[in-house]
Amino acid sequence: MVKKYIDCRSAGTPLLALMIFIVSSCAPSRAVIDRSAMDKLFWPGPPEKPRISYLWSVSELSETTPGRMLGIFAGTPESETSDPSSSHRLLRPYSCFVDEAGDLYITDTGAFRVTIISTKEGTSRNILRAGDEEFLSPIGVVVFKGKLYVSDSSLKKVFILDKGGKLVGKFEGEFERPTSLALSAETGVIYVADTLAHRVYLYSPEGKRLGNIGKHGSEKGEFNYPTHLWVDGQGRLYVTDSLNSRIEIFSSRGDFEEMFGTLGDALGNLDKPKGVATDSDGNIYVVDSINDMVKIFDRSGRLLLVFGQQGTGFGQFWLPSGIFIDKANVIYVADTYNGRLQAFRYLGSK
């Protein structure tokens, strides 16, 4: 289907209009997964025993470039014929989630959409709206029992969609700025970080509000602009307490357990941390967006390892945001301003 931003009147002839229709409707939706550096990069480097290996990256969502071809056919620059939501590339990937089937869900704030990539088949598709509302700033995404949950910070809503993208519900209650989502696979509880309200809300899969954690402050269990969330295999909740420069950890009941992190320039400090996740050994991964790296800590907050640096090469980052670790210890990092998602693997401590 020709996107609304393309003026077919500029095509000039019926033949050219037909070419535009063919290009826009037949272009394959197959993501280009770049594995050329797979298992060639490791952290730490030799002679140390490696703990993290590089796997692949994805930025191209189609093997063709329909936006550019349409611009050529229509005689207009790509910038004038392209709608960001129809871009063949990731633009500003922010958060990610991998479901049991191996499908990768990416919120893209630059393209106003959720992109779904099958890591097994290599195909991709986009969800641009929830019912009658087009996404403006999709941030958080999780999947539970065939339902897709997406937060939009500008629309101030959390939507419930089926796998086909049909709107089937919304979370009750008002939000000031809903951002990250996290899922407890055991209980089905879905956590929502409301950044401007300085709270984390708990919801049932049906969208009923069950309670909340925290308030504005700097004491234990309080938040100063919480942004990213994670739930580990034991049901513990990890909260990136962004402007308090720390990670707070809560029990599955919502009780405060511990925290780590302080503001500073040392490698083990945190400065406006973003994504957080844990691997199968309980190591805690924190995205240090400002320094373009991922830092790995133990439960006590002791720095164990750092990987990544500023750049555009394999294993390098430019203002990364979200992180997700699946059951196979594959680490997915939203490399936001490089317009791509990169995958790594935790090799274990033994």
Side-chain angles (χ1 to χ4, degrees), residues 277-341:
T278 59
D279 63 30
S280 61
D281 285 337
N283 301 311
I284 304 168
Y285 296 62
V286 181
V287 176
D288 186 337
S289 182
I290 292 177
N291 292 304
D292 303 296
M293 62 179 60
V294 177
K295 297 178 178 180
I296 307 176
F297 300 86
D298 64 15
R299 282 290 300 275
S300 66
R302 181 171 63 98
L303 182 66
L304 303 175
L305 182 64
V306 168
F307 66 93
Q309 63 184 44
Q310 199 281 326
T312 60
F314 297 118
Q316 298 178 340
F317 302 114
W318 184 14
L319 297 178
S321 299
I323 187 171
F324 185 90
I325 302 178
D326 68 17
K327 292 182 179 180
N329 282 324
V330 175
I331 307 157
Y332 305 83
V333 181
D335 188 7
T336 304
Y337 276 79
N338 276 325
R340 64 185 178 184
L341 186 134

Side-chain angles (χ1 to χ4, degrees), residues 3 86 173 246 344:
K3 296 294 290 185
S86 65
R246 66 189 183 187
F344 307 78

